Amino acid sequence: MVAPPHASSASAQQPPSRLDREAPLGVFDSGLGGLTVVRALRARCPSEDIIYLGDTARVPYGTRSGETVVRYALGCARMLLGRGVKAIVVACNTVSAVALEMMRVELDLPVLGVIVPGARAGVAAARGGAVGVLGTTGTISSGAYPRAVASLSTRAEVIGQAAPLLVSLAEEGWLEGEVPRLVSRRYLEPVIRAGAKCVVLGCTHYPLLQGVIEAEAADLAGAPVPVVDSARATAEDVANFLEERDQGSRRTRRGSLELLVTDLPKSFTAVAERFLGEPLGDVRQVDL
Ligand code: DGL
């Protein structure tokens, strides 16, 4: 099949269509951060049922080896596959950076990631200038963003910066005040100094700190700097993927949301509502 011109490189590589349009979408992340993608998905594709898996027992992935991340990611994906999902959305930049190709080889269903949509939104926001990217150590050292940007623009340069402490701040719910401000500033300084014309939030935890990051980037640059949330760009990509294949749900009711975690749900529940932007239903613990 020839992909339409607006199709993402992700959708162009997917297996042939034989999906049940009313089956749920499976979404997973190492922990809570992927709920920012779920939130964007529920806004953009409101009738889709979603099963979300947060591998809270093994978060963070961003500091682990590629082999470990691949192993964890395949475990999460197989669990969702067993629940009859029609496609998997990898709501984690680290997994998207180091394990997406392996997942597409190993799994017999469409797998969509967050890097290409985030890179595309970054290239558009930078308007030919350099694209700044904050991400985990694993994402930045993988070179996934420079590769994705190079496939979209022959001109745009990427200025990457690992920002691992922002994951802990988001998990702790420290979203404003002096500590997140100073930490964000420290990570943003070299990016803005090197001339980035936008900052891509290349980790699904970072959109929670968007307000602080925007303020510090603007202060350092002396003018507003666009800050790109890859969650929204990913939801747009998933919606396009489902529309192109005529696989979107035709339900008229709001889609359901099932939340699964691999560690005790208590700490997850406390912070997750903030990520999700809506009240949580039941959160169940599962074993992978
Ligand atoms: N949500 C992960 C990502 O987008 C970051 C958290 C982690 O390190 O596991 O990369």
Side-chain angles (χ1 to χ4, degrees):
M1 187 186 101
V2 177
H6 59 288
S8 66
S9 57
S11 57
Q13 295 166 16
Q14 301 302 316
S17 166
R18 48 171 184 62
L19 309 169
D20 170 6
R21 65 167 66 248
E22 301 306 342
L25 286 170
V27 183
F28 80 91
D29 179 34
S30 53
L32 289 159
L35 290 174
T36 56
V37 175
V38 171
R39 179 182 190 158
L41 273 172
R42 280 172 70 73
R44 181 62 182 79
C45 313
S47 57
E48 296 294 337
D49 285 349
I50 294 174
I51 302 176
Y52 179 82
L53 172 63
D55 191 5
T56 48
R58 300 189 291 198
V59 68
Y61 284 10
T63 49
R64 299 186 196 276
S65 71
E67 295 78 41
T68 301
V69 173
V70 167
R71 187 157 46 82
Y72 287 0
L74 285 173
C76 292
R78 289 197 174 110
M79 197 269 164
L80 290 167
L81 200 55
R83 306 289 300 253
V85 300
K86 63 181 170 186
I88 289 182
V89 180
V90 178
C92 175
N93 281 263
T94 308
V95 173
S96 299
V98 304
L100 206 67
E101 294 314 316
M102 181 64 87
M103 291 175 70
R104 287 181 175 150
V105 169
E106 293 286 325
L107 304 169
D108 189 24
L109 90 171
V111 182
L112 293 104
V114 288
I115 303 263
V116 170
R120 196 183 307 116
V123 168
R127 297 166 174 260
V131 177
V133 179
L134 298 181
T136 65
T137 309
T139 296
I140 298 302
S141 64
S142 74
Y145 271 99
R147 279 196 299 280
V149 166
S151 74
L152 298 163
S153 161
T154 48
R155 284 191 302 157
E157 180 202 346
V158 172
I159 303 160
Q161 173 66 48
L165 290 180
L166 297 183
V167 173
S168 313
L169 290 172
E171 289 271 338
E172 290 295 322
W174 280 28
L175 308 180
E176 48 200 35
E178 197 182 5
V179 174
R181 199 174 61 68
L182 289 175
V183 173
S184 301
R185 192 175 184 91
R186 184 71 175 264
Y187 288 138
L188 284 164
E189 222 159 21
V191 177
I192 300 297
R193 207 179 327 113
K197 296 296 177 232
C198 77
V199 176
V200 175
L201 303 180
C203 169
T204 50
H205 282 66
Y206 300 170
L208 272 191
L209 292 150
Q210 186 154 355
V212 172
I213 292 169
E214 264 166 5
E216 290 310 306
D219 192 56
L220 287 163
V225 178
V227 172
V228 175
D229 172 357
S230 60
R232 234 174 293 157
T234 301
E236 197 55 42
D237 224 39
V238 173
N240 289 338
F241 174 80
L242 294 174
E243 275 159 30
E244 280 160 17
R245 299 184 152 232
D246 194 25
Q247 295 292 352
S249 165
R250 291 195 179 137
R251 274 184 219 101
T252 48
R253 66 160 168 83
R254 183 156 174 75
S256 63
L257 175 60
E258 189 178 350
L259 297 172
L260 308 174
V261 289
T262 54
D263 204 352
L264 290 175
K266 199 161 165 264
S267 57
F268 176 90
T269 310
V271 196
E273 271 183 20
R274 207 188 320 231
F275 281 75
L276 192 56
E278 63 177 282
L280 298 185
D282 278 352
V283 181
R284 281 198 306 114
Q285 188 179 1
V286 292
D287 209 7
L288 295 186

